[in-house]
Amino acid sequence: MTARRIAPSILSADFARLGEEARAVIAAGADLVHFDVMDNHYVPNLTIGPLVCAALRPHVKLPIDVHLMVKPVERIVPDFAKAGADIISFHPEASEHIDRTIALIHDHGCKAGLVFNPATPLVYLDHVLEHLDLVLIMSVNPGFGGQTFIPEALNKLAAVRRRIDATGRDIWLQVDGGVTADNIGAIGRAGADTFVAGSAIFGAGDYARAISDLRAALAGNQPSARDCDAETRGPGARREGMR
Ligand code: DX5
Ligand code: ZN
């Protein structure tokens, strides 16, 4: 069976206690730590950079999964590699030379991911998929935690899953935005194997319980009415049903 990974997004953590929060989600069963970098230019929000990544590194024994929502991308890649990032993902619209940025990330010893916004076409995979370690499908528009899952992401995940399987390579398929125990089952069935969750974990009082609820829903142990409903209604479904 394919590995299923839960990646808590520290965007929803208490930034005044970031090391403690990272250790808490790791103890609670996280598989990697998702690190959202926003620049108030590519996205309308401003978060954390390489200095914070380096400060967090000694607290995090798991892979640090850096999601760059910055433009331009290339100047900051070496800084994150030095700061201890394991995976660096970027948006194609933020790079003038996508193939070169992927190579730059690899040259710095990190795994490379390409991120697709809800309206970004998968055509950007055409000539680079085999060079990627991860494809990230955004199920919200990037910039903020706590938004509602956009159901069209299910179709997009299924399309990418087919493309990844056709390569025969172990390329991770990650989803990011609005993931909850109510929709993670449908998202897993669409083909995702790596699940970012911010508010669903950090917004819960008990992180271990929140992560085990996500895993249980993913394994189909707790099918929810809303989950089934969202799948059958398809891409035209209204977003409210996927909360
Ligand atoms: C959004 C970020 C996400 C965000 C997810 O731009 O990339 O990683 O933190 O948060 P939730 O799970 O609350 O939607
Ligand atoms: Zn993210």
Side-chain angles (χ1 to χ4, degrees):
M1 181 172 160
T2 319
R4 265 69 191 280
R5 305 168 201 92
I6 303 290
S9 164
I10 56 165
L11 181 63
S12 296
D14 178 351
F15 276 8
R17 299 186 297 111
L18 211 44
E20 193 184 317
E21 290 274 72
R23 288 195 303 272
V25 283
I26 291 165
D31 297 299
L32 53 159
V33 170
H34 187 78
F35 190 102
D36 285 309
V37 184
M38 305 183 186
D39 68 349
N40 189 39
H41 170 67
Y42 179 64
V43 291
N45 201 355
L46 185 63
T47 60
I48 44 183
L51 287 178
V52 176
C53 185
L56 207 52
R57 183 69 274 184
H59 300 266
V60 177
K61 306 297 176 212
L62 298 174
I64 297 182
D65 167 34
V66 172
H67 174 190
L68 293 180
M69 289 161 274
V70 304
K71 185 177 183 176
V73 179
E74 291 196 1
R75 206 216 56 75
I76 203 92
V77 163
D79 296 6
F80 273 103
K82 281 190 207 104
D86 295 282
I87 303 166
I88 299 179
S89 299
F90 67 98
H91 291 248
E93 300 90 340
S95 170
E96 297 293 339
H97 305 282
I98 295 164
D99 183 75
R100 176 185 284 155
T101 304
I102 294 168
L104 179 72
I105 293 169
H106 285 152
D107 287 349
H108 282 81
C110 298
K111 294 191 170 180
L114 197 60
V115 191
F116 291 80
N117 285 334
T120 302
L122 296 176
V123 67
Y124 287 108
L125 289 177
D126 280 1
H127 307 286
V128 297
L129 177 57
E130 302 232 350
H131 302 306
L132 292 170
D133 302 289
L134 177 148
V135 176
L136 168 51
I137 297 300
M138 292 303 299
S139 40
V140 297
N141 287 293
F144 303 94
Q147 301 182 77
T148 301
F149 185 89
I150 297 172
E152 170 61 16
L154 296 175
N155 288 331
K156 218 166 177 185
L157 286 164
V160 179
R161 169 50 59 201
R162 287 192 291 273
R163 292 181 69 158
I164 288 174
D165 288 350
T167 70
R169 296 191 57 233
D170 181 24
I171 300 166
W172 293 8
L173 179 50
Q174 186 174 55
V175 63
D176 185 5
V179 174
T180 68
D182 281 336
N183 59 27
I184 197 168
I187 297 167
R189 285 189 287 280
D193 55 36
T194 306
F195 305 82
V196 176
S199 47
I201 294 172
F202 286 102
D206 181 339
Y207 299 164
R209 175 80 189 271
I211 291 175
S212 75
D213 283 354
L214 289 170
R215 288 198 199 284
L218 196 49
N221 296 343
Q222 294 174 335
S224 84
R226 280 195 283 176
D227 182 357
C228 302
D229 192 30
E231 270 192 318
T232 51
R233 283 179 298 130
R238 295 183 60 201
R239 292 177 191 183
E240 286 78 1
M242 292 298 283
R243 275 190 187 137

